[in-house]
Amino acid sequence: MPMVNGKTKIYGIIGNPVSHSLSPAMHNAAFEALKENRIYLPFPVEDVQAALMGLKALDIRGVSVTIPHKQSVMPFLDRIDPVAIKIGAVNTIDIQTEGATRLLCGSNTDWIGANRALESRVRLPQAQVVLLGAGGSARAIGFGLREAGAGILLCSRSEPKGRMLAEELDCPWFPMTALTSLRGEVLVNATPVGMSPRAEASPVPAAILPSFQVVMDIVYAPLKTRLLREAELAGCRTINGLEMLLYQGVAQFELWTGLAAPVDVMREALLDWAGIERG
Ligand code: NAP
């Protein structure tokens, strides 16, 4: 528990609910490791506009934004970075001071988290990525892959939603049934398929996995999904869902503090949580 005093800088997460968020454990472990006089708190929020005014009034330095507010915060921000605008979602607010004015500056670190996790295993600019899903996470990951210069083959269950996202990403769209004929270096699951309590499910047939070098699953409960187990057996390098979560937090920490994040400490905090949740 950090020592709180009159100089403590306050950060937090706004969303509803926030009680299961892993971010307080991850950020507070990082502040403690660097002996920073900062604290990160959960703020359950219903009225977004009032909460954002409160951030300015209370001199809160930065917040993460989670479901259901990633889009609804946007009209109330003073600045939004261009990638977050393309994604259409903000997961990070940095409160900057200019003279006597406090400005709410929104950005999105979900795509940075996915890219950093992938870059630990593969050179993205040369990679062809089969991306599964057309929801919020697939959007963020897709625009991130575009930023990195990777090729994308988008595959989703719902055709209209998938085609619309593929058009925005300027990439081809395929139905899930076409998966057996798609080739790429990387496979990313950005659907909830395989998530507990339906952990016996996998989004793809195991037979297609040997053709990929790297498989990333953004589902993190369980930590080792059926997809990742089967990918390991097929000889692929695998990346679990906590890595994206970790690196989106690392990017937030670095934006808010200007310091190099203690990545290993933050990963340990997440893994501790994972161990506890799984008994
Ligand atoms: P979302 O916006 O609801 O999108 C889910 C997507 O998955 C949609 O495209 C949906 O297809 C598709 N889908 C759902 N069930 C499917 C099924 N049985 N077969 C094929 N496709 C299916 O959700 P999200 O926010 O993108 O989150 C997706 C998953 O990522 C969740 O499990 C979440 O916990 C996890 N996540 C992880 C991180 C991380 O940092 N690791 C961050 C955010 C989210 P339709 O459009 O056809 O319904």
Side-chain angles (χ1 to χ4, degrees):
M1 180 68 187
M3 177 70 84
V4 176
N5 59 28
K7 292 182 181 160
T8 304
K9 294 177 183 162
I10 301 172
Y11 301 81
I13 179 163
I14 61 171
N16 197 6
V18 288
S19 53
H20 297 299
S21 170
L22 313 189
S23 294
M26 174 170 60
H27 284 292
N28 284 321
F31 292 150
E32 210 167 317
L34 298 189
K35 299 193 170 24
E36 283 290 302
N37 188 1
R38 306 180 197 237
I39 189 167
Y40 184 104
L41 302 167
F43 297 116
V45 163
E46 280 185 15
D47 183 339
V48 168
Q49 187 175 11
L52 294 180
M53 292 305 102
L55 298 181
K56 284 186 180 182
L58 294 169
D59 194 19
I60 288 169
R61 304 302 174 97
V63 289
S64 312
V65 184
T66 190
I67 291 166
H69 298 319
K70 286 186 179 188
Q71 288 87 30
S72 57
V73 292
M74 295 178 79
F76 307 113
L77 300 178
D78 299 298
R79 291 179 188 153
I80 305 179
D81 96 355
V83 187
I85 289 175
K86 279 194 234 170
I87 293 170
V90 159
N91 81 327
T92 306
I93 300 175
D94 182 35
I95 294 106
Q96 295 178 3
T97 304
E98 281 186 10
T101 311
R102 291 196 179 118
L103 298 171
L104 300 170
C105 303
S107 57
N108 189 308
T109 65
D110 285 330
W111 71 271
I112 299 172
N115 278 13
R116 285 204 200 171
L118 284 166
E119 280 158 357
S120 68
R121 304 280 196 285
V122 68
R123 282 188 48 75
L124 279 180
Q126 273 121 52
Q128 180 86 293
V129 180
V130 175
L131 175 59
L132 307 179
S137 302
R139 264 190 92 76
I141 294 168
F143 280 105
L145 292 171
R146 288 298 313 265
E147 289 294 308
I152 306 170
L153 305 175
L154 186 73
C155 219
S156 72
R157 178 174 68 176
S158 120
E159 178 164 357
K161 217 161 134 188
R163 281 199 186 278
M164 209 181 302
L165 178 57
E167 201 171 310
E168 286 184 70
L169 294 172
D170 195 18
C171 74
W173 174 84
F174 300 91
M176 289 291 202
T177 48
L179 264 174
T180 46
S181 60
L182 299 183
R183 291 288 170 274
E185 286 77 41
V186 182
L187 176 72
V188 176
N189 176 35
T191 79
V193 179
M195 189 166 79
S196 180
R198 303 206 44 209
E200 77 290 349
S202 171
V204 302
I208 71 162
L209 294 171
S211 63
F212 294 97
Q213 291 164 23
V214 175
V215 174
M216 178 163 93
D217 198 340
I218 73 162
V219 170
Y220 53 79
L223 193 55
K224 195 175 274 189
T225 57
R226 176 173 170 186
L227 170 65
L228 293 187
R229 284 201 315 273
E230 291 180 343
E232 267 179 19
L233 286 174
C236 312
R237 280 167 285 162
T238 60
I239 306 169
N240 69 51
L242 280 191
E243 291 295 295
M244 173 173 163
L245 196 65
L246 166 69
Y247 283 108
Q248 65 77 32
V250 164
Q252 292 180 326
F253 184 95
E254 292 178 346
L255 174 75
W256 291 332
T257 65
L259 302 168
V263 178
D264 291 341
V265 169
M266 294 169 81
R267 183 183 285 108
E268 277 308 308
L270 289 176
L271 286 170
D272 275 354
W273 170 88
I276 291 162
E277 283 292 295
R278 277 145 205 77

